[in-house]
Each structure stands twice: as C-alpha cells, then as structure tokens.
Amino acid sequence: MVHVYNTKVRMKDGRVGELVCGNGHKTDFSAPPEFKGNAGVFTAEDALVASVNMSIMQTFLHLTEKKNIKVRAYEADANGILGHRKGNECIIRIVVHPKITVDPGTNIDTIELCLNEARKYSIIVNSIHATIVVEHKMETYKA
C-alpha cells in the first residue's frame, strides 16, 4: 500500500512562511535566527529533529503495544547537531533522550529491545542520512 503525505508552504512576510500539512495542521515557520530568521518560530531544522523524535516514540509505542507492555510515561528530548558533510552544512547527528516509565516487574530487556527496534524500523529514521543515537533512561512506575 502506498501512502502519500502532502505539505504546502507559502511566503507570508520576509523570511516567514506558512506550512500547511495534508492533515490540516498549519504553522508559521522561518529560518533559525543564526541564519537570519526569526526567533520563536518553527524551523525546518526543528521539523527534522522533531520528526525523528516523534517517529521513534510512535514506533516504540506501537511495538510495546504489540507485546502487551504498559508504558506509563514516555518523554524525550532530542538534539540535532549541525555540521558539514561533503562540503555542505547539514544535520549530521540527532541524539534522542527518551525517559520511559513502566510498571515494576516489567521486563526491562524487552523494553530496551523495543526501543532498539523503534530506532531500526522508524520510517523517518530510515529516510535520512544523519547518525541517529538513542540514549534512554528507564524508570519503574511508583503508585
């Protein structure tokens, strides 16, 4: 089955644009301030790092659901590192730091396997060339 995801961008004012996603979501965007963009506005760099972060989370939750594992909480910070590859600037590395809370007695090895598989099977991760690293922290739920 083929899925197609559509977006549309249009210039609004100077270097600020509007992004409209095929699912109806809209947001303004700009270049980052370090590239003469506006502070506090969504950027393509934010979108790239966020896409990896979101995709790993969604894939992880899908895998744990298939294994009937209850995840109490999942929160992750992600950092994209700008560097050079073949003479061009690009995001060369994205590090995702998930903090996962599960019930006591949950098999941590299975959770770690699901996290590794999430990185391996993430559609977004498999679509980009940056190095993706997942450095996680596990907690057990305390009622």
Side-chain angles (χ1 to χ4, degrees):
M1 177 181 266
V2 174
H3 299 280
V4 177
Y5 302 93
N6 300 300
T7 63
K8 182 181 214 175
V9 297
R10 69 176 182 87
M11 190 173 112
K12 286 180 73 173
D13 182 33
R15 298 191 73 174
V16 175
E18 180 184 54
L19 165 68
V20 179
C21 298
N23 65 7
H25 180 76
K26 294 180 183 181
T27 192
D28 286 347
F29 69 93
S30 173
E34 58 270 24
F35 296 115
K36 301 181 181 175
N38 296 7
V41 181
F42 194 59
T43 70
E45 293 78 6
D46 293 330
L48 178 65
V49 175
S51 292
V52 168
N53 201 1
M54 291 185 289
S55 183
I56 287 174
M57 183 187 94
Q58 291 299 326
T59 306
F60 172 77
L61 294 175
H62 169 74
L63 293 167
T64 55
E65 183 179 287
K66 283 177 56 176
K67 295 182 185 300
N68 294 315
I69 296 170
K70 182 168 184 156
V71 176
R72 291 283 184 164
Y74 181 107
E75 183 175 312
D77 294 324
N79 311 99
I81 294 94
L82 183 67
H84 289 87
R85 181 176 291 129
K86 298 180 183 175
N88 294 310
E89 284 186 311
C90 63
I91 300 293
I92 58 170
R93 182 178 173 93
I94 298 173
V95 182
V96 180
H97 303 276
K99 180 180 172 185
I100 302 160
T101 305
V102 295
D103 287 329
T106 301
N107 185 323
I108 299 303
D109 290 339
T110 303
I111 293 292
E112 289 179 346
L113 175 67
C114 288
L115 199 52
N116 289 333
E117 288 180 344
R119 192 228 165 272
K120 180 179 178 181
Y121 295 117
S122 160
I123 292 168
I124 301 301
V125 169
N126 288 324
S127 299
I128 64 172
H129 296 289
T131 300
I132 309 296
V133 178
V134 178
E135 298 174 344
H136 66 282
K137 178 180 177 182
M138 298 293 303
E139 292 186 349
T140 54
Y141 180 72
K142 297 172 182 92

